[in-house]
Amino acid sequence: MCIRDSACFAVGERFDKGDGAEINKEKAAASYRFACQKGDMRGCHNLGVMMINAEGIPLDRNGGLLLLDKSCDAGQRPSCEQMVKLLTCLLYTSRCV
């Protein structure tokens, strides 16, 4: 599918957003997973969000939060912000997406 972490992330974005390719959330999630496994924290972030929102993959809030936490720890501010948003929502309401 892809070799380098940045290439995997770019492929994921193309499938996720339909930029130069047909939107395919399953392929986007797979590409983000490869990017994350290769150390691209942007891939971890996007895959985490997809897991939390059940986009192209089954709902997995715990797994998504773990990926956001990993990405946040690596300095990805959007992941930190997403975690705060989701955790705040979970504290005050029963439905968060």
Side-chain angles (χ1 to χ4, degrees):
M1 181 175 255
C2 53
I3 298 170
R4 295 184 332 264
D5 54 353
S6 59
C8 295
F9 179 77
V11 169
E13 283 218 307
R14 287 180 181 264
F15 284 122
D16 197 10
K17 298 179 181 2
D19 182 18
E22 188 173 325
I23 291 176
N24 185 318
K25 297 294 185 176
E26 292 85 8
K27 288 183 179 180
S31 296
Y32 290 146
R33 185 178 311 280
F34 282 128
C36 182
Q37 289 170 344
K38 292 175 181 283
D40 190 327
M41 293 300 114
R42 300 171 302 166
C44 296
H45 170 85
N46 286 9
L47 179 60
V49 170
M50 291 181 85
M51 292 169 84
I52 290 165
N53 294 325
E55 291 182 273
I57 51 178
L59 175 68
D60 182 358
R61 283 203 181 112
N62 291 335
L65 278 171
L66 287 172
L67 288 177
L68 291 176
D69 185 50
K70 175 181 179 176
S71 184
C72 177
D73 285 347
Q76 292 292 314
R77 185 179 177 114
S79 295
C80 304
E81 293 167 353
Q82 188 70 34
M83 282 180 49
V84 168
K85 179 181 170 185
L86 181 62
L87 292 172
T88 300
C89 179
L90 289 170
L91 284 172
Y92 297 107
T93 177
S94 61
R95 292 195 56 154
C96 299
V97 178

